[in-house]
């Protein structure tokens, strides 16, 4: 460990979290002596996470932060983010899940373009469905969020903004290759058809067709994957009417299981085959009634269809989910200090599932939830902001329920900013759809026939202190969040070593999260960020309040980036120290140890392209024998879901980014939706 810390500290002398100025190309500019320049504009953008200026505790991950790592998809975009953890959920399918405030990603509301998305059946592989090069920015909001986007946010929201058709005309490409044989290619571009109409097309393809078995257990360390997706976007940016629309299609095929002689010499090898097809579309309309008072009305319509066809050994899983969403919103400033937002929404989910194991079981669930909300904001300059919201929704399954949420922000000066929030959240648990990777296990899945709607309170406070030290500023932040469940679907891995039990909470369930962070630019182009997070997550299992299994007790993160000179080079490094935790009962060990992961990347920028190379998990730590009972996958002891650490050793990669941006003075009007 001392060697690793020494490595990071020495690397920190040449690597850090940089501020890179966007310098215009001057190769075609002639010097005009004796001439007066009418206007000179210099713009700069801070690389890294930016604390959003709104009332909520939110981090804005911009384009420059996304370039600090390979960021092949949404899941890999959180490498340098201390608040969001991304973990594998099983060693066979490659499914990943985020954790926020110490809790499962199902309690985070996923949004794309501020529209609820990737719910239910899409959850296990959603992080791989959004290519990194498609993203313009990511906003991570912790704690209770605005009531405008629904009632489902419990621990926070993650909103992804894609590259816009109405943005400055661009064309780009990204090609990536790593030492495991994974190849990715992305293409994108937009065209302005007129001063108001514009369109964009984004394409993605990835392939990993090599099977690896570094630990010799007979199972592939990672699945073979083929994925292709295409998104078409349109925008009309009028003076009083704004329209945006998108259509997206995706198909992904995964293969895993026993490989090599374990499969060739076996009449019945254990194989996993998963195919997902997903189609999405949305249309957003905004009518600007009074631009001076920000008075507008907006209508959002979206829909998705997802089909999954999977086999886990002899278990077959088939599922279809259709979702429709509509939201009509009205917003207006009532004066200098007051504003209001109100609206109505409708969400409809249809989910049909079929599982063939010992016998065939078919289920169909339909939930329709209309709702109405109102939100009031009081703002006293930049010093004080108070926001309160309340929404009422009615589910045809669970009946009516209220969602209250309140936020405050107090910034008495330029040095300190205080924020606080409290609110309630609800969600419907689609147990098998959200956790179908558990079928890659010999455990029997037992689901309570009468699961409650999940319900929880979340409260949190945070502070950011900016301390001037000479010409630089030391940024310090501290935050605390508490989540308490009134109703919860509990996943019990302890009571029965040969079963997974899904049932209603009978007792307490809560999460405490503490986080400290410090950022300082030691010299020009160099900034170092250090973060420490502690979590205390407990739930009642079998009548006993216990630590939640497979959850890290703490995490330390050190990030550094160095961009010397005019930003032609950039050096980045990230060290994670992940704390240990509890393992489910009836395993050979009761806890798992702490472990570290180091990643680094070097980027060289040219006028219209850049090349990058780096490595992930350079320290090489990986969980030993992650698959339990790999020698007998047909027994009840077989389990590939007890995952707490990395599944593979170092991965090195190289990539090329091509980009062309047309220089334009055209002002792009904000869509407001």
């Amino acid at each position: 460990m001392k060697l690793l810390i020494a490595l990071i500290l020495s690397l920190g002398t040449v690597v850090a979290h940089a501020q890179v100025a966007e310098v215009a190309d001057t190769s075609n500019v002639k010097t005009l002596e004796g001439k007066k320049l009418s206007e000179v504009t210099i713009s700069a953008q801070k690389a890294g996470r930016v604390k959003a200026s709104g009332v909520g505790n939110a981090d804005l991950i911009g384009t420059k932060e996304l370039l600090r790592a390979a960021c092949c998809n949404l899941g890999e975009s959180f490498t340098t983010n201390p608040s969001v953890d991304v973990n594998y959920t099983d060693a066979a399918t490659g499914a990943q899940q985020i954790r926020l405030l110490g809790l499962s990603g199902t309690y985070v509301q996923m949004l794309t373009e501020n529209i609820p998305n990737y719910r239910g059946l899409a959850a296990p592989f959603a992080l791989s469905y959004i290519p990194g090069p498609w993203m313009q920015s990511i906003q991570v909001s912790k704690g209770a969020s605005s009531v405008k986007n629904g009632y489902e946010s419990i621990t926070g929201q993650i909103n992804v903004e894609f590259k816009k058709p109405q943005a400055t005309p661009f064309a780009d490409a990204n090609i990536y290759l790593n030492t495991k044989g994974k190849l990715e290619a992305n293409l994108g571009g937009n065209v302005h058809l007129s001063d108001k109409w514009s369109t964009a097309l984004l394409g993605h393809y990835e392939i990993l067709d090599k099977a690896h078995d570094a630990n010799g257990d007979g199972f592939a360390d990672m699945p073979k994957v083929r994925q292709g997706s295409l998104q078409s976007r349109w925008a009309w940016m009028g003076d009083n009417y704004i329209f945006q629309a998108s259509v997206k299609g995706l198909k992904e095929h995964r293969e895993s299981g026993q490989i090599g002689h374990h499969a060739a010499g076996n009449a019945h090898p254990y194989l996993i085959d998963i195919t997902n097809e997903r189609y999405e579309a949305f249309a957003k309309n905004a009518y600007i009634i009074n631009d001076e008072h920000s008075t507008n009305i907006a209508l959002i319509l979206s829909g998705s269809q997802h089909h999954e066809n999977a086999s886990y050994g002899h278990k077959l899983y088939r599922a279809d989910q259709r979702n429709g969403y509509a939201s009509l919103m009205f917003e207006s400033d009532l004066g200098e200090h007051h504003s209001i937002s109100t609206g109505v929404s409708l969400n409809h989910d249809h989910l049909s599932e079929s599982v063939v194991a010992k016998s065939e079981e078919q289920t169909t669930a339909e939930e329709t939830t209309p709702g109405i909300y109102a939100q009031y904001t009081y703002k006293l300059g930049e010093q004080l902001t108070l926001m309160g919201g309340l929404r009422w929704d009615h589910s045809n399954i669970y009946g009516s329920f209220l969602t209250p949420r309140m936020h405050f922000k107090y910034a008495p000066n330029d040095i300190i900013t205080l924020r606080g929030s409290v609110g309630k959240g609800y969600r419907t648990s689609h147990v098998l759809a959200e956790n179908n990777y558990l079928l890659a296990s010999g455990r029997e899945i037992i689901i309570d026939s009468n699961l409650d709607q999940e319900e929880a309170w979340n409260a949190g406070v945070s502070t950011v202190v900016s301390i001037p030290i000479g010409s630089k500023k030391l940024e310090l932040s501290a935050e605390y969040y508490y989540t308490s469940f009134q109703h919860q679907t509990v996943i019990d891995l302890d009571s029965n070593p040969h079963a997974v039990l899904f049932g209603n909470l009978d007792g307490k369930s809560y999460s405490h999260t503490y986080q400290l962070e410090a950022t300082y630019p030691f010299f020009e182009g160099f900034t170092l960020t250090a973060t420490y997070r502690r979590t205390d997550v407990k739930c009642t299992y079998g009548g006993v309040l216990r630590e939640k299994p497979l959850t890290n007790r703490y995490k330390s993160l050190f990030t550094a980036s160095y961009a010397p000179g005019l930003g032609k080079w950039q050096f980045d490094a990230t060290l994670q120290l992940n704390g240990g935790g509890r393992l489910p009962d009836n395993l050979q060990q009761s806890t798992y140890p702490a472990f570290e992961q180091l990643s680094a990347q070097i980027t060289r920028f040219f006028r219209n392209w850049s090349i990058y190379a780096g490595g992930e998990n350079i320290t090489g730590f990986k969980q030993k024998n992650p698959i339990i009972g790999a020698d007998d996958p047909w027994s009840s002891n077989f389990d590939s879901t007890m995952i707490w650490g990395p599944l593979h050793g170092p991965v090195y990669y190289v990539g090329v980014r091509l980009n062309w941006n047309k220089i334009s003075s055209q002002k792009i009007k904000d869509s407001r939706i």
Side-chain angles (χ1 to χ4, degrees), residues 162-178:
F162 295 105
K163 293 177 179 178
K164 311 296 183 185
Q166 69 271 23
T168 301
F170 75 90
D172 60 26
N174 180 48
I175 300 175
Y176 164 96
L177 177 66
N178 70 21

Side-chain angles (χ1 to χ4, degrees), residues 143-263:
S145 303
S146 168
V147 296
K148 288 195 285 186
N149 295 318
Y151 53 85
E152 290 183 311
S153 170
I154 291 179
T155 58
Q157 288 180 340
I158 294 179
N159 178 54
V160 177
E161 293 289 335
F162 295 105
K163 293 177 179 178
K164 311 296 183 185
Q166 69 271 23
T168 301
F170 75 90
D172 60 26
N174 180 48
I175 300 175
Y176 164 96
L177 177 66
N178 70 21
T179 52
K180 297 296 183 181
K182 181 179 180 180
L183 175 66
E184 287 199 15
N186 294 274
L187 297 171
N190 68 345
V191 176
H192 289 194
L193 303 175
S194 68
D195 61 341
K196 292 182 172 61
W197 269 114
S198 56
T199 183
L201 187 66
L202 303 171
H204 168 81
Y205 181 75
E206 67 177 82
I207 180 172
L208 173 60
D209 59 359
K210 294 182 180 179
H212 302 272
D213 182 17
N215 60 8
D217 65 357
F219 275 77
D221 295 335
M222 58 184 67
K224 295 181 181 180
V225 178
R226 289 177 181 265
Q227 185 195 101
S229 57
L230 193 67
Q231 184 181 41
S232 176
R233 296 178 57 102
W234 297 81
W236 168 275
M237 311 301 290
D239 294 329
N240 296 309
Y241 172 64
I242 297 170
F243 169 78
Q244 292 192 61
S246 169
V247 177
K248 177 186 175 184
L250 175 145
K251 185 172 183 178
E252 180 186 74
H253 182 223
R254 292 172 177 257
E255 294 181 13
S256 187
Q258 289 183 308
I259 61 174
H261 69 275
H262 296 274

Side-chain angles (χ1 to χ4, degrees), residues 106 113 211 222 302 378 386 425 487 489 508 532 581 595 656:
T106 55
E113 309 270 335
M222 58 184 67
S302 73
Y378 172 79
L386 301 173
H487 299 283
T489 299
K508 294 182 178 180
Y532 177 79
F595 61 93
V656 177

Side-chain angles (χ1 to χ4, degrees), residues 427-497:
R427 68 178 299 272
T428 297
S429 179
H430 300 290
V431 171
L432 199 55
E434 296 167 348
N435 302 277
N436 65 73
Y437 63 87
L438 291 172
L439 291 170
S441 166
R443 289 176 179 252
E444 182 182 1
I445 297 177
I446 303 174
I447 303 173
D448 193 314
S449 61
N450 189 24
L451 292 176
D452 295 331
Q453 182 184 38
E454 295 193 274
E455 175 185 351
W457 282 94
N458 181 282
V461 292
S462 65
T463 180
V464 177
V465 180
S466 181
I467 304 174
I469 301 178
S471 60
K472 303 179 179 64
K473 289 185 178 181
L474 171 64
E475 301 282 349
L476 301 174
S477 67
E479 59 188 49
Y480 164 72
Y481 284 91
Y482 174 64
T483 306
S484 177
F485 285 89
Q486 280 67 57
H487 299 283
Q488 185 181 19
T489 299
V490 176
I491 305 176
D492 185 355
L493 300 170
D494 293 291
S495 298
N496 188 337

Side-chain angles (χ1 to χ4, degrees), residues 17-61:
H17 191 79
Q19 293 185 6
V20 182
E22 291 185 344
V23 181
D25 181 24
T26 58
S27 59
N28 295 321
V29 179
K30 297 180 179 180
T31 302
L32 302 177
E33 296 183 1
K35 300 290 185 179
K36 181 179 180 181
L37 298 178
S38 60
E39 182 179 4
V40 176
T41 301
I42 299 176
S43 63
Q45 181 177 351
K46 181 179 179 181
R49 294 180 297 116
V50 178
K51 184 65 67 176
S53 60
V55 65
N57 183 14
D59 291 337
L60 182 64
I61 304 173

Side-chain angles (χ1 to χ4, degrees), residues 336-337 379-385:
E336 182 182 357
H337 305 297
K379 188 172 184 180
L380 183 61
E382 297 298 324
Q383 291 184 324
L384 178 66
T385 303

